[in-house]
Amino acid sequence: MEPSIENYIKNLVRDAILHLQFRNERQTYVVANWKMNKTIAEATEFFQKLKGRQDVKVVVCPPAPMLYPVQLMIKQIKKPIGLGGQNVHWEEKGAYTGEISTGMLKDVGCEYAIIGHSERRQYFLEDDATINRKVKKAIKAGIIPILCVGETLEEKNLLQTEQVLSRQLFGALKGIDMSQLIIAYEPVWAIGTGQSATADLAEQTHAYIRSVLKQLVGHRAETISILYGGSVNGENAADFRSMPNIDGVLVGGASLNASSFDEIIDVFAKGVPNI
Ligand code: PGA
């Protein structure tokens, strides 16, 4: 049946209303990815200096041996900071030297785990099928995955960004209940380079990611927070904050220093959504 103009307009209006409604309901996150950085002494100093905020969800993802000490540090400073792992295995236990299970993450107080970071894809050859198993296991265990997706510079130059994101999202989210999930869009060319995506480009790409999520879960896609990552700092954070499809940031380099991380937290805590 041909859709009538009336129905077409009705659908457009309904989509716009849903978008506005959920934009206000979506959780905003500022997530620190410390990667392979910080000793116990350095982490202690970081938390002594960090101001933090009550009015935005802050999550810190330290290296695995630091998870337990960092959990104690967070408890000690009595700030509402969540804890996340940087990786997780799809099995609960067994002969997997060097790996970490969801049970272990939960045992030390983690609620989140970064999964599919481009550095894991690049250096440890994680593919979409592996990432799918990890996301599945995390959700089953009650750990919220922060699923990273993003194109390389070469893929960007070949105009393949949408194709790559679509493949990564469909691959990683196959057969998954997405009620508890965070997506992080991290263009590989922007990570650690000081060359962040412009807020306009990131917004356009986040809107595309949301359209792919819609194909997977319909209007529930509007409830999924999509974070931007890649050279975020205190200066460019406000530009990302002002975009309707950017629900927070995943921060590497600038999260290692308490005052630069606080600057970013402040931007996301006090900004008014631009809708
Ligand atoms: P960056 O890293 O902020 O240092 O670019 C972001 C990330 O890899 O998560």
Side-chain angles (χ1 to χ4, degrees):
M1 200 174 62
E2 269 301 288
S4 69
I5 292 210
E6 196 186 333
N7 275 344
Y8 175 74
I9 292 173
K10 258 191 205 157
N11 285 343
L12 272 187
V13 171
R14 188 200 55 196
D15 282 0
I17 290 172
L18 280 170
H19 183 73
L20 290 183
Q21 186 187 336
F22 287 120
R23 166 67 173 117
N24 292 329
E25 282 174 20
R26 281 200 299 270
Q27 176 77 55
T28 302
Y29 292 94
V30 178
V31 182
N33 176 10
W34 282 358
K35 308 191 180 184
M36 198 171 70
N37 291 291
K38 286 207 188 295
T39 60
I40 292 187
E42 287 164 349
T44 306
E45 192 191 339
F46 176 91
F47 285 108
Q48 277 164 355
K49 289 186 177 158
L50 190 76
K51 289 194 281 95
R53 298 269 299 224
Q54 300 283 342
D55 49 354
V56 63
K57 189 82 206 171
V58 175
V59 178
V60 175
C61 304
M66 300 290 294
L67 285 167
Y68 187 59
V70 164
Q71 188 224 20
L72 299 180
M73 291 172 205
I74 291 171
K75 260 198 196 143
Q76 202 179 13
I77 59 169
K78 296 191 173 65
K79 297 214 166 120
I81 298 171
L83 188 65
Q86 295 177 10
N87 183 26
V88 72
H89 197 264
W90 60 85
E91 291 293 348
E92 197 43 55
K93 56 177 157 181
Y96 299 100
T97 302
E99 293 294 320
I100 305 149
S101 73
T102 51
M104 293 167 189
L105 288 183
K106 289 186 79 172
D107 206 22
V108 294
C110 284
E111 296 167 82
Y112 303 87
I114 296 173
I115 298 180
H117 190 280
S118 63
E119 286 148 18
R120 303 267 343 151
R121 294 179 192 254
Q122 185 187 346
Y123 299 122
F124 304 97
L125 308 182
E126 288 190 11
D127 60 12
D128 294 326
T130 307
I131 292 165
N132 178 253
R133 294 171 85 180
K134 294 183 175 203
V135 173
K136 250 185 205 153
K137 179 67 169 76
I139 290 181
K140 201 163 157 219
I143 296 267
I144 300 174
I146 303 172
L147 169 67
C148 299
V149 293
E151 80 287 2
T152 62
L153 183 61
E154 195 189 358
E155 289 161 342
K156 177 179 183 270
N157 290 341
L158 289 168
L159 306 178
Q160 291 174 345
T161 300
E162 294 193 349
Q163 194 184 320
V164 169
L165 293 174
S166 168
R167 190 204 72 222
Q168 291 178 339
L169 289 164
F170 273 98
L173 298 174
K174 202 162 130 202
I176 277 170
D177 158 24
M178 279 189 257
S179 48
Q180 290 279 53
L181 176 78
I182 299 168
I183 305 282
Y185 169 57
E186 297 207 307
V188 180
W189 47 269
I191 295 177
T193 59
Q195 306 260 304
S196 71
T198 62
D200 282 332
L201 178 64
E203 166 59 22
Q204 199 183 313
T205 313
H206 282 222
Y208 174 74
I209 289 172
R210 203 175 299 288
S211 76
V212 175
L213 295 175
K214 244 182 219 167
Q215 292 174 44
L216 286 158
V217 283
H219 286 299
R220 270 177 45 217
E222 295 287 356
T223 64
I224 298 173
S225 299
I226 307 176
L227 319 184
Y228 168 78
S231 296
V232 174
N233 57 41
E235 268 148 49
N236 59 25
D239 295 340
F240 295 116
R241 175 68 178 101
S242 68
M243 293 295 168
N245 277 295
I246 300 182
D247 307 306
V249 280
L250 177 53
V251 189
S255 74
L256 294 173
N257 175 285
S259 70
S260 58
F261 193 48
D262 263 328
E263 278 177 36
I264 299 169
I265 293 172
D266 281 341
V267 166
F268 279 86
K270 69 184 178 212
V272 176
N274 178 15
I275 50 174

